[in-house]
Amino acid sequence: GAGLLAGPDAGWLATHDLYMECKVVLPNDANRTFIFGLKGGNPFTDGNNAIAWRVLGSGNFIGVCDSGGTETPRDSTVLPDGAAVHRLRIEILAAGTIVRFFRNGAQVGDDVTTNIPTAGMQAQAGIHNEATATDYHAHVADFTGARRGV
């Protein structure tokens, strides 16, 4: 947990909890990748080392902790439909040892305590069209906050 973030923020989560929240409407599109959260590597693509919400192709909203390719997912069982507004929240608690995923105020699955990456990550939010290799940059982050004293 202490090295979770990259760059000058490395070690910051050792003494803080992190909350990230967005509000998004997504079409059901078989060519789309949506990512919101913390992730290492290429932006707006699925990959290793992530604490994020994602939608791959025409799949569900899934909260995922991925450490080096080994995942602990939390499936909301909800498909994007292009009309409904979804409020997605991620809570990273206890020096990066507990992760919680929320959709529209309700926790999705149990607390995640496994496969929480310790490699450097950065905040990412975006949509990528796999058919045209086009990134759609969108303002989806409504709120990011921290609380000291975990």
Coordinates of all heavy atoms in Angstrom, one line a residue, residues 34-135:
F34 N -13.9 1.3 -21.0 CA -14.0 2.5 -20.1 C -13.2 2.1 -18.8 O -13.2 1.0 -18.3 CB -15.5 2.6 -19.7 CG -15.7 3.5 -18.5 CD1 -15.6 4.9 -18.5 CD2 -16.0 2.9 -17.2 CE1 -15.8 5.7 -17.4 CE2 -16.2 3.7 -16.1 CZ -16.1 5.1 -16.2
I35 N -12.4 3.1 -18.4 CA -11.6 2.9 -17.2 C -11.7 4.2 -16.3 O -11.7 5.3 -16.8 CB -10.1 2.8 -17.5 CG1 -9.8 1.6 -18.4 CG2 -9.2 2.8 -16.3 CD1 -9.9 0.3 -17.7
F36 N -11.9 4.0 -15.0 CA -12.0 5.1 -14.0 C -11.3 4.6 -12.7 O -11.8 3.6 -12.1 CB -13.4 5.6 -13.7 CG -13.4 6.5 -12.6 CD1 -13.0 7.8 -12.7 CD2 -13.9 6.1 -11.3 CE1 -13.0 8.7 -11.6 CE2 -13.9 7.0 -10.2 CZ -13.4 8.3 -10.4
G37 N -10.2 5.2 -12.3 CA -9.6 4.8 -11.1 C -8.1 5.0 -11.2 O -7.6 6.0 -11.8
L38 N -7.3 4.2 -10.5 CA -5.9 4.2 -10.5 C -5.4 3.0 -11.3 O -5.9 1.9 -11.2 CB -5.3 4.1 -9.1 CG -5.7 5.2 -8.1 CD1 -5.2 4.8 -6.7 CD2 -5.1 6.5 -8.6
K39 N -4.4 3.3 -12.2 CA -3.9 2.3 -13.1 C -2.5 2.6 -13.5 O -2.1 3.7 -13.7 CB -4.8 2.2 -14.3 CG -4.6 1.1 -15.3 CD -5.6 1.1 -16.4 CE -5.0 0.3 -17.6 NZ -3.7 0.7 -18.0
G40 N -1.7 1.5 -13.7 CA -0.4 1.7 -14.3 C -0.5 1.4 -15.8 O -1.5 0.8 -16.3
G41 N 0.5 1.8 -16.6 CA 0.6 1.5 -18.0 C -0.2 2.4 -18.9 O -0.5 3.5 -18.5
N42 N -0.5 1.9 -20.1 CA -1.2 2.7 -21.1 C -2.6 3.2 -20.6 O -3.3 2.4 -20.0 CB -1.4 1.9 -22.4 CG -0.1 1.5 -23.0 OD1 0.9 2.2 -22.9 ND2 -0.1 0.4 -23.8
P43 N -2.9 4.4 -20.8 CA -4.2 5.0 -20.4 C -5.3 4.4 -21.2 O -5.2 4.0 -22.4 CB -4.0 6.5 -20.7 CG -3.0 6.6 -21.7 CD -2.0 5.4 -21.5
F44 N -6.5 4.3 -20.6 CA -7.7 3.9 -21.2 C -7.8 2.5 -21.8 O -8.6 2.3 -22.7 CB -8.1 5.0 -22.3 CG -8.0 6.4 -21.8 CD1 -7.2 7.3 -22.5 CD2 -8.5 6.8 -20.6 CE1 -7.1 8.6 -22.1 CE2 -8.3 8.1 -20.1 CZ -7.6 9.0 -20.9
T45 N -6.9 1.7 -21.4 CA -6.9 0.3 -21.9 C -6.9 -0.6 -20.6 O -6.4 -0.2 -19.6 CB -5.7 -0.1 -22.7 OG1 -4.5 0.1 -22.0 CG2 -5.7 0.8 -24.0
D46 N -7.4 -1.8 -20.8 CA -7.4 -2.8 -19.7 C -6.0 -3.3 -19.6 O -5.3 -3.5 -20.6 CB -8.3 -3.9 -20.0 CG -8.5 -4.9 -18.8 OD1 -8.4 -4.5 -17.7 OD2 -8.6 -6.1 -19.1
G47 N -5.5 -3.4 -18.4 CA -4.1 -3.9 -18.2 C -3.9 -4.3 -16.7 O -4.8 -4.3 -15.9
N48 N -2.6 -4.6 -16.4 CA -2.2 -5.0 -15.1 C -2.1 -3.8 -14.2 O -1.8 -2.7 -14.6 CB -0.9 -5.8 -15.2 CG -1.1 -7.1 -15.9 OD1 -2.2 -7.6 -16.1 ND2 0.1 -7.6 -16.4
N49 N -2.1 -4.1 -12.9 CA -1.9 -3.1 -11.8 C -3.0 -2.0 -11.9 O -2.7 -0.9 -12.4 CB -0.5 -2.5 -11.9 CG 0.5 -3.6 -11.7 OD1 0.3 -4.6 -10.9 ND2 1.6 -3.6 -12.4
A50 N -4.1 -2.3 -11.3 CA -5.2 -1.3 -11.3 C -6.1 -1.5 -10.1 O -6.3 -2.6 -9.6 CB -6.1 -1.5 -12.6
I51 N -6.6 -0.3 -9.7 CA -7.7 -0.3 -8.7 C -8.7 0.6 -9.4 O -8.6 1.9 -9.5 CB -7.3 0.3 -7.4 CG1 -6.3 -0.5 -6.7 CG2 -8.6 0.4 -6.5 CD1 -5.7 0.1 -5.5
A52 N -9.7 0.0 -10.1 CA -10.5 0.8 -11.0 C -11.9 0.2 -11.3 O -12.1 -1.0 -11.1 CB -9.8 1.0 -12.4
W53 N -12.8 1.0 -11.8 CA -14.0 0.6 -12.4 C -13.7 0.4 -13.9 O -12.9 1.3 -14.5 CB -15.1 1.6 -12.3 CG -15.8 1.5 -11.0 CD1 -15.6 2.3 -9.9 CD2 -16.8 0.6 -10.6 NE1 -16.5 1.9 -8.9 CE2 -17.2 0.9 -9.3 CE3 -17.4 -0.5 -11.3 CZ2 -18.2 0.2 -8.6 CZ3 -18.4 -1.2 -10.6 CH2 -18.8 -0.9 -9.3
R54 N -14.2 -0.6 -14.6 CA -14.0 -0.7 -16.0 C -15.3 -1.3 -16.6 O -16.1 -2.0 -16.0 CB -12.8 -1.6 -16.3 CG -13.1 -3.1 -16.0 CD -11.9 -3.9 -16.3 NE -12.2 -5.3 -16.0 CZ -11.3 -6.3 -15.8 NH1 -10.0 -6.0 -15.8 NH2 -11.7 -7.5 -15.5
V55 N -15.4 -1.1 -17.9 CA -16.4 -1.8 -18.8 C -15.6 -2.2 -20.0 O -15.0 -1.3 -20.7 CB -17.5 -0.8 -19.2 CG1 -18.5 -1.6 -20.1 CG2 -18.3 -0.4 -17.9
L56 N -15.6 -3.4 -20.3 CA -14.9 -3.9 -21.5 C -15.9 -4.3 -22.5 O -16.7 -5.2 -22.3 CB -14.0 -5.1 -21.1 CG -12.9 -4.9 -20.1 CD1 -12.1 -6.2 -19.8 CD2 -12.0 -3.8 -20.5
G57 N -15.8 -3.7 -23.7 CA -16.8 -4.0 -24.7 C -18.2 -3.8 -24.3 O -18.6 -2.8 -23.7
S58 N -19.1 -4.8 -24.5 CA -20.5 -4.7 -24.1 C -20.7 -5.3 -22.7 O -21.8 -5.8 -22.4 CB -21.4 -5.3 -25.2 OG -21.0 -6.6 -25.4
G59 N -19.7 -5.3 -21.9 CA -19.8 -6.0 -20.6 C -20.4 -5.1 -19.5 O -20.8 -3.9 -19.7
N60 N -20.4 -5.6 -18.3 CA -20.9 -4.9 -17.1 C -19.9 -3.9 -16.5 O -18.7 -4.0 -16.8 CB -21.3 -5.9 -16.0 CG -22.3 -6.9 -16.3 OD1 -23.2 -6.6 -17.2 ND2 -22.4 -8.0 -15.7
F61 N -20.4 -3.0 -15.7 CA -19.5 -2.2 -14.8 C -18.9 -3.1 -13.8 O -19.6 -3.8 -13.0 CB -20.3 -1.1 -14.1 CG -20.8 0.0 -14.9 CD1 -22.1 0.1 -15.4 CD2 -19.9 1.1 -15.2 CE1 -22.5 1.1 -16.2 CE2 -20.3 2.1 -16.0 CZ -21.6 2.2 -16.5
I62 N -17.6 -3.2 -13.8 CA -16.9 -4.1 -12.9 C -15.8 -3.3 -12.1 O -15.0 -2.7 -12.8 CB -16.2 -5.3 -13.6 CG1 -17.3 -6.2 -14.3 CG2 -15.4 -6.1 -12.7 CD1 -16.8 -7.3 -15.1
G63 N -15.8 -3.4 -10.8 CA -14.7 -2.9 -10.0 C -13.7 -4.0 -9.9 O -14.0 -5.1 -9.7
V64 N -12.4 -3.6 -10.1 CA -11.4 -4.6 -10.1 C -10.1 -4.1 -9.4 O -9.7 -2.9 -9.6 CB -11.0 -5.0 -11.6 CG1 -10.5 -3.9 -12.4 CG2 -10.1 -6.2 -11.6
C65 N -9.5 -5.0 -8.7 CA -8.2 -4.8 -8.2 C -7.3 -5.8 -8.9 O -7.6 -7.0 -8.9 CB -8.1 -5.1 -6.6 SG -8.8 -3.8 -5.7
D66 N -6.3 -5.4 -9.6 CA -5.4 -6.2 -10.4 C -4.0 -6.0 -10.0 O -3.5 -4.9 -10.1 CB -5.6 -5.9 -11.9 CG -4.8 -6.7 -12.8 OD1 -3.5 -6.9 -12.6 OD2 -5.3 -7.3 -13.8
S67 N -3.3 -7.0 -9.5 CA -1.9 -6.9 -9.2 C -1.1 -7.9 -10.1 O -1.2 -9.1 -9.9 CB -1.7 -7.3 -7.7 OG -0.4 -7.2 -7.3
G68 N -0.4 -7.3 -11.0 CA 0.4 -8.1 -11.9 C -0.4 -9.1 -12.8 O 0.2 -10.1 -13.2
G69 N -1.7 -8.8 -13.1 CA -2.5 -9.7 -13.9 C -3.4 -10.6 -13.1 O -4.2 -11.3 -13.7
T70 N -3.2 -10.7 -11.8 CA -4.1 -11.5 -11.0 C -5.2 -10.6 -10.4 O -4.9 -9.6 -9.8 CB -3.4 -12.2 -9.8 OG1 -2.3 -13.0 -10.4 CG2 -4.3 -13.1 -9.0
E71 N -6.5 -10.9 -10.7 CA -7.5 -10.0 -10.4 C -8.5 -10.4 -9.3 O -8.7 -11.6 -9.1 CB -8.4 -9.7 -11.6 CG -7.7 -9.0 -12.8 CD -8.6 -8.7 -13.9 OE1 -9.7 -9.2 -13.9 OE2 -8.1 -8.0 -14.8
T72 N -9.0 -9.5 -8.6 CA -10.2 -9.7 -7.7 C -11.3 -8.7 -8.2 O -11.2 -7.5 -8.0 CB -9.8 -9.4 -6.2 OG1 -8.8 -10.2 -5.8 CG2 -11.0 -9.6 -5.3
P73 N -12.3 -9.2 -8.9 CA -13.3 -8.4 -9.5 C -14.5 -8.3 -8.6 O -14.8 -9.2 -7.7 CB -13.7 -9.1 -10.8 CG -13.5 -10.6 -10.4 CD -12.3 -10.6 -9.4
R74 N -15.3 -7.2 -8.7 CA -16.6 -7.0 -8.1 C -17.5 -6.6 -9.2 O -17.5 -5.4 -9.6 CB -16.5 -5.9 -7.0 CG -15.6 -6.3 -5.8 CD -16.2 -7.5 -5.1 NE -15.4 -7.9 -3.9 CZ -14.7 -9.0 -3.8 NH1 -14.6 -9.8 -4.9 NH2 -14.1 -9.3 -2.7
D75 N -18.3 -7.5 -9.7 CA -19.2 -7.3 -10.8 C -20.5 -6.7 -10.3 O -21.3 -7.3 -9.5 CB -19.5 -8.6 -11.5 CG -20.2 -8.5 -12.8 OD1 -20.8 -7.5 -13.1 OD2 -20.1 -9.5 -13.6
S76 N -20.9 -5.5 -10.9 CA -22.1 -4.9 -10.5 C -23.4 -5.6 -11.2 O -24.5 -5.3 -10.7 CB -22.1 -3.4 -11.0 OG -22.3 -3.3 -12.4
T77 N -23.2 -6.4 -12.1 CA -24.2 -7.1 -12.9 C -25.0 -6.1 -13.7 O -26.1 -6.5 -14.2 CB -25.1 -8.0 -12.1 OG1 -25.9 -7.2 -11.2 CG2 -24.3 -9.0 -11.3
V78 N -24.6 -4.9 -13.9 CA -25.3 -3.8 -14.6 C -24.6 -3.5 -15.9 O -23.4 -3.1 -15.9 CB -25.5 -2.6 -13.7 CG1 -26.2 -1.5 -14.5 CG2 -26.3 -2.9 -12.4
L79 N -25.3 -3.5 -17.0 CA -24.8 -3.1 -18.3 C -25.0 -1.6 -18.5 O -26.1 -1.1 -18.2 CB -25.5 -3.9 -19.4 CG -25.2 -5.3 -19.6 CD1 -26.2 -6.0 -20.5 CD2 -23.8 -5.5 -20.0
P80 N -24.1 -0.9 -19.1 CA -24.4 0.5 -19.6 C -25.5 0.4 -20.7 O -25.5 -0.5 -21.5 CB -23.1 0.9 -20.2 CG -22.0 0.0 -19.7 CD -22.7 -1.3 -19.4
D81 N -26.3 1.4 -20.7 CA -27.4 1.4 -21.7 C -27.5 2.7 -22.5 O -28.4 2.9 -23.3 CB -28.8 1.1 -21.1 CG -29.2 2.2 -20.1 OD1 -28.5 3.2 -19.9 OD2 -30.2 1.9 -19.4
G82 N -26.6 3.7 -22.2 CA -26.6 4.9 -23.0 C -27.6 5.9 -22.4 O -27.7 7.1 -22.9
A83 N -28.4 5.6 -21.4 CA -29.4 6.5 -20.8 C -29.2 6.7 -19.3 O -29.3 7.8 -18.8 CB -30.8 6.0 -21.1
A84 N -29.0 5.6 -18.6 CA -28.9 5.7 -17.1 C -27.6 6.3 -16.7 O -26.5 6.1 -17.2 CB -29.0 4.3 -16.5
V85 N -27.7 7.2 -15.7 CA -26.5 7.8 -15.0 C -26.0 6.9 -13.9 O -26.8 6.4 -13.1 CB -26.9 9.2 -14.4 CG1 -25.7 9.8 -13.7 CG2 -27.4 10.1 -15.5
H86 N -24.7 6.6 -13.9 CA -24.1 5.7 -12.9 C -23.1 6.5 -12.1 O -22.2 7.1 -12.7 CB -23.5 4.5 -13.6 CG -24.4 3.7 -14.4 ND1 -25.1 2.7 -13.9 CD2 -24.7 3.8 -15.7 CE1 -25.9 2.1 -14.9 NE2 -25.6 2.8 -16.0
R87 N -23.3 6.5 -10.8 CA -22.3 7.1 -9.9 C -21.4 6.0 -9.4 O -21.9 5.1 -8.7 CB -23.0 7.9 -8.8 CG -22.0 8.7 -8.0 CD -22.6 9.7 -7.1 NE -23.2 10.8 -7.8 CZ -22.5 11.8 -8.3 NH1 -21.2 11.9 -8.1 NH2 -23.0 12.8 -8.9
L88 N -20.1 6.1 -9.7 CA -19.2 5.0 -9.4 C -18.2 5.6 -8.4 O -17.6 6.7 -8.6 CB -18.4 4.5 -10.6 CG -19.3 4.1 -11.8 CD1 -18.4 3.8 -13.0 CD2 -20.1 2.9 -11.4
R89 N -17.9 4.9 -7.3 CA -17.0 5.3 -6.2 C -16.0 4.2 -5.9 O -16.4 3.0 -5.9 CB -17.8 5.8 -5.0 CG -16.8 6.4 -3.9 CD -17.6 7.0 -2.8 NE -18.1 6.0 -1.8 CZ -19.3 5.9 -1.4 NH1 -20.3 6.7 -1.9 NH2 -19.7 5.0 -0.5
I90 N -14.8 4.6 -5.6 CA -13.8 3.7 -5.1 C -13.3 4.3 -3.8 O -13.0 5.5 -3.7 CB -12.6 3.7 -6.1 CG1 -13.1 3.2 -7.5 CG2 -11.5 2.8 -5.6 CD1 -12.0 3.4 -8.6
E91 N -13.1 3.4 -2.8 CA -12.5 3.8 -1.5 C -11.3 2.9 -1.3 O -11.4 1.7 -1.4 CB -13.5 3.6 -0.4 CG -14.7 4.5 -0.5 CD -15.7 4.3 0.7 OE1 -15.5 3.4 1.6 OE2 -16.7 5.0 0.8
I92 N -10.2 3.6 -1.1 CA -8.9 2.8 -0.8 C -8.6 3.2 0.7 O -8.3 4.4 1.0 CB -7.8 3.2 -1.7 CG1 -8.2 3.0 -3.2 CG2 -6.5 2.4 -1.4 CD1 -7.3 3.5 -4.2
L93 N -8.6 2.2 1.6 CA -8.6 2.4 3.0 C -7.4 1.7 3.7 O -6.8 0.8 3.0 CB -9.9 2.0 3.6 CG -11.2 2.5 3.0 CD1 -12.4 1.8 3.6 CD2 -11.3 4.0 3.2
A94 N -7.2 2.0 4.9 CA -6.2 1.3 5.8 C -4.9 1.1 5.1 O -4.4 0.0 5.0 CB -6.8 -0.1 6.2
A95 N -4.3 2.2 4.7 CA -2.9 2.2 4.1 C -2.9 1.3 2.9 O -1.9 0.7 2.6 CB -1.9 1.7 5.1
G96 N -4.0 1.3 2.1 CA -4.0 0.6 0.8 C -4.2 -0.9 0.9 O -4.0 -1.6 0.0
T97 N -4.8 -1.3 2.1 CA -5.0 -2.8 2.2 C -6.5 -3.2 2.1 O -6.8 -4.4 2.1 CB -4.5 -3.2 3.6 OG1 -5.2 -2.5 4.6 CG2 -3.0 -2.9 3.8
I98 N -7.4 -2.2 2.0 CA -8.8 -2.5 1.8 C -9.3 -1.6 0.7 O -9.1 -0.4 0.7 CB -9.6 -2.3 3.1 CG1 -9.2 -3.2 4.2 CG2 -11.1 -2.4 2.8 CD1 -9.8 -2.8 5.5
V99 N -10.0 -2.2 -0.3 CA -10.6 -1.4 -1.4 C -12.1 -1.8 -1.4 O -12.5 -2.9 -1.3 CB -10.0 -1.7 -2.7 CG1 -10.7 -1.0 -3.9 CG2 -8.5 -1.4 -2.7
R100 N -12.9 -0.7 -1.6 CA -14.4 -0.9 -1.7 C -14.9 -0.2 -3.0 O -14.4 0.9 -3.3 CB -15.1 -0.3 -0.5 CG -14.8 -1.0 0.8 CD -15.5 -0.3 1.9 NE -15.2 -0.9 3.2 CZ -15.2 -0.3 4.4 NH1 -15.5 0.9 4.5 NH2 -14.9 -1.0 5.4
F101 N -15.8 -0.9 -3.7 CA -16.4 -0.3 -4.9 C -17.9 -0.1 -4.6 O -18.6 -1.0 -4.1 CB -16.2 -1.3 -6.1 CG -14.8 -1.5 -6.5 CD1 -14.1 -2.6 -6.0 CD2 -14.2 -0.6 -7.3 CE1 -12.7 -2.8 -6.4 CE2 -12.8 -0.8 -7.7 CZ -12.1 -1.9 -7.2
F102 N -18.4 1.1 -5.1 CA -19.8 1.4 -4.9 C -20.4 1.9 -6.2 O -19.7 2.6 -7.0 CB -19.9 2.6 -3.9 CG -19.5 2.3 -2.5 CD1 -18.2 2.3 -2.1 CD2 -20.5 2.0 -1.6 CE1 -17.8 2.0 -0.8 CE2 -20.1 1.7 -0.2 CZ -18.8 1.7 0.1
R103 N -21.6 1.5 -6.5 CA -22.4 2.0 -7.6 C -23.7 2.5 -7.1 O -24.4 1.8 -6.4 CB -22.6 0.8 -8.6 CG -23.3 1.3 -9.9 CD -23.7 0.2 -10.8 NE -25.0 0.6 -11.5 CZ -26.2 0.4 -11.0 NH1 -26.4 -0.1 -9.8 NH2 -27.2 0.9 -11.7
N104 N -23.9 3.8 -7.4 CA -25.1 4.5 -7.0 C -25.4 4.4 -5.5 O -26.5 4.1 -5.0 CB -26.4 4.0 -7.8 CG -26.3 4.4 -9.2 OD1 -25.5 5.3 -9.6 ND2 -27.0 3.7 -10.1
G105 N -24.3 4.5 -4.7 CA -24.4 4.5 -3.3 C -24.3 3.2 -2.6 O -24.2 3.1 -1.4
A106 N -24.4 2.1 -3.3 CA -24.5 0.7 -2.7 C -23.1 0.0 -3.0 O -22.6 0.0 -4.1 CB -25.6 -0.1 -3.2
Q107 N -22.6 -0.6 -1.9 CA -21.3 -1.3 -2.1 C -21.6 -2.5 -3.0 O -22.5 -3.3 -2.8 CB -20.7 -1.8 -0.8 CG -19.3 -2.4 -0.9 CD -18.6 -2.6 0.4 OE1 -19.0 -2.1 1.4 NE2 -17.5 -3.4 0.3
V108 N -20.6 -2.8 -3.9 CA -20.7 -3.9 -4.9 C -19.8 -5.0 -4.3 O -18.6 -4.8 -4.3 CB -20.3 -3.5 -6.3 CG1 -20.3 -4.7 -7.2 CG2 -21.2 -2.4 -6.8
G109 N -20.3 -6.1 -3.8 CA -19.6 -7.1 -3.3 C -18.9 -6.8 -1.9 O -19.1 -5.7 -1.4
D110 N -18.1 -7.7 -1.4 CA -17.4 -7.5 -0.2 C -16.2 -6.6 -0.4 O -15.8 -6.3 -1.5 CB -16.9 -8.9 0.4 CG -18.1 -9.8 0.7 OD1 -19.2 -9.3 1.1 OD2 -17.9 -11.0 0.6
D111 N -15.6 -6.2 0.8 CA -14.3 -5.5 0.7 C -13.3 -6.3 0.0 O -13.3 -7.5 0.2 CB -13.8 -5.2 2.2 CG -14.6 -4.2 2.9 OD1 -15.6 -3.7 2.4 OD2 -14.3 -4.0 4.1
V112 N -12.5 -5.7 -0.8 CA -11.4 -6.4 -1.5 C -10.1 -6.2 -0.6 O -9.7 -5.1 -0.2 CB -11.1 -5.8 -2.9 CG1 -9.9 -6.5 -3.5 CG2 -12.3 -5.9 -3.8
T113 N -9.5 -7.4 -0.3 CA -8.3 -7.4 0.5 C -7.2 -8.2 -0.2 O -6.1 -8.3 0.4 CB -8.5 -8.0 1.9 OG1 -9.0 -9.3 1.8 CG2 -9.5 -7.1 2.7
T114 N -7.4 -8.7 -1.4 CA -6.4 -9.4 -2.1 C -6.2 -8.8 -3.5 O -7.1 -8.1 -4.0 CB -6.8 -10.9 -2.3 OG1 -8.1 -10.9 -3.0 CG2 -7.0 -11.6 -1.0
N115 N -5.0 -9.0 -4.0 CA -4.7 -8.5 -5.4 C -4.7 -7.0 -5.5 O -5.0 -6.5 -6.6 CB -5.5 -9.2 -6.5 CG -5.3 -10.7 -6.5 OD1 -4.1 -11.2 -6.4 ND2 -6.4 -11.4 -6.5
I116 N -4.5 -6.3 -4.4 CA -4.4 -4.9 -4.4 C -2.9 -4.5 -4.8 O -2.0 -4.9 -4.1 CB -4.7 -4.3 -3.0 CG1 -6.2 -4.6 -2.6 CG2 -4.5 -2.7 -3.1 CD1 -6.5 -4.3 -1.2
P117 N -2.8 -3.9 -5.9 CA -1.4 -3.7 -6.4 C -0.6 -2.7 -5.5 O -1.1 -1.9 -4.8 CB -1.6 -3.0 -7.8 CG -3.0 -2.4 -7.7 CD -3.8 -3.3 -6.8
T118 N 0.7 -3.0 -5.5 CA 1.6 -2.1 -4.8 C 2.6 -1.4 -5.7 O 3.4 -0.6 -5.3 CB 2.5 -3.0 -3.8 OG1 3.2 -4.0 -4.6 CG2 1.6 -3.6 -2.8
A119 N 2.4 -1.6 -7.1 CA 3.2 -0.9 -8.1 C 2.6 0.5 -8.3 O 1.4 0.7 -8.1 CB 3.2 -1.7 -9.4
G120 N 3.5 1.4 -8.7 CA 3.1 2.8 -9.0 C 1.9 2.9 -10.0 O 2.0 2.3 -11.1
M121 N 0.9 3.7 -9.7 CA -0.2 3.9 -10.6 C -0.5 5.4 -10.6 O -0.1 6.1 -9.8 CB -1.4 3.1 -10.1 CG -1.3 1.6 -10.1 SD -2.7 0.8 -9.4 CE -2.6 1.3 -7.7
Q122 N -1.3 5.8 -11.6 CA -1.8 7.1 -11.7 C -3.3 7.1 -11.9 O -3.9 6.2 -12.4 CB -1.1 7.8 -12.9 CG 0.4 7.9 -12.8 CD 1.0 8.4 -14.1 OE1 0.4 8.6 -15.1 NE2 2.3 8.6 -14.0
A123 N -3.9 8.3 -11.6 CA -5.4 8.4 -11.8 C -5.6 8.5 -13.3 O -4.9 9.1 -14.0 CB -5.9 9.7 -11.1
Q124 N -6.6 7.7 -13.7 CA -7.0 7.6 -15.1 C -8.5 7.6 -15.2 O -9.2 6.9 -14.4 CB -6.4 6.4 -15.8 CG -4.9 6.4 -15.9 CD -4.4 5.3 -16.8 OE1 -5.1 4.7 -17.5 NE2 -3.1 5.1 -16.6
A125 N -9.1 8.3 -16.2 CA -10.5 8.3 -16.5 C -10.7 8.5 -18.0 O -10.2 9.5 -18.5 CB -11.2 9.4 -15.7
G126 N -11.3 7.6 -18.7 CA -11.5 7.8 -20.1 C -12.2 6.6 -20.8 O -12.4 5.6 -20.2
I127 N -12.5 6.8 -22.0 CA -13.1 5.8 -22.9 C -12.3 5.7 -24.1 O -11.9 6.7 -24.7 CB -14.6 6.3 -23.3 CG1 -15.4 6.6 -22.0 CG2 -15.2 5.2 -24.1 CD1 -16.6 7.3 -22.3
H128 N -12.0 4.4 -24.5 CA -11.2 4.1 -25.7 C -12.1 3.3 -26.7 O -12.7 2.3 -26.3 CB -10.0 3.4 -25.3 CG -9.1 3.0 -26.4 ND1 -8.2 3.9 -26.9 CD2 -8.9 1.9 -27.1 CE1 -7.5 3.3 -27.9 NE2 -7.9 2.1 -28.0
N129 N -12.1 3.7 -27.9 CA -12.8 2.9 -29.0 C -11.8 2.0 -29.6 O -10.9 2.4 -30.3 CB -13.4 3.9 -30.0 CG -14.2 3.1 -31.0 OD1 -13.8 2.1 -31.5 ND2 -15.4 3.6 -31.3
E130 N -12.0 0.7 -29.3 CA -11.1 -0.3 -29.8 C -11.1 -0.5 -31.3 O -10.1 -0.9 -31.9 CB -11.4 -1.7 -29.1 CG -11.3 -1.7 -27.6 CD -9.9 -1.3 -27.1 OE1 -8.9 -1.6 -27.8 OE2 -9.8 -0.8 -26.0
A131 N -12.3 -0.2 -32.0 CA -12.4 -0.4 -33.4 C -11.6 0.7 -34.2 O -11.0 0.4 -35.2 CB -13.8 -0.3 -33.8
T132 N -11.5 1.9 -33.7 CA -10.9 3.0 -34.4 C -9.6 3.4 -33.6 O -8.9 4.4 -34.1 CB -11.8 4.2 -34.5 OG1 -12.1 4.7 -33.2 CG2 -13.1 3.9 -35.3
A133 N -9.3 2.8 -32.5 CA -8.1 3.2 -31.7 C -8.1 4.6 -31.3 O -7.1 5.3 -31.3 CB -6.8 2.8 -32.4
T134 N -9.3 5.1 -31.0 CA -9.5 6.5 -30.7 C -9.8 6.7 -29.2 O -10.6 5.9 -28.7 CB -10.6 7.2 -31.5 OG1 -10.4 7.0 -32.8 CG2 -10.8 8.6 -31.1
D135 N -9.1 7.5 -28.5 CA -9.4 7.8 -27.1 C -10.4 9.0 -27.0 O -10.2 10.0 -27.7 CB -8.1 8.3 -26.3 CG -7.1 7.1 -26.2 OD1 -7.6 6.0 -26.2 OD2 -5.9 7.4 -26.0

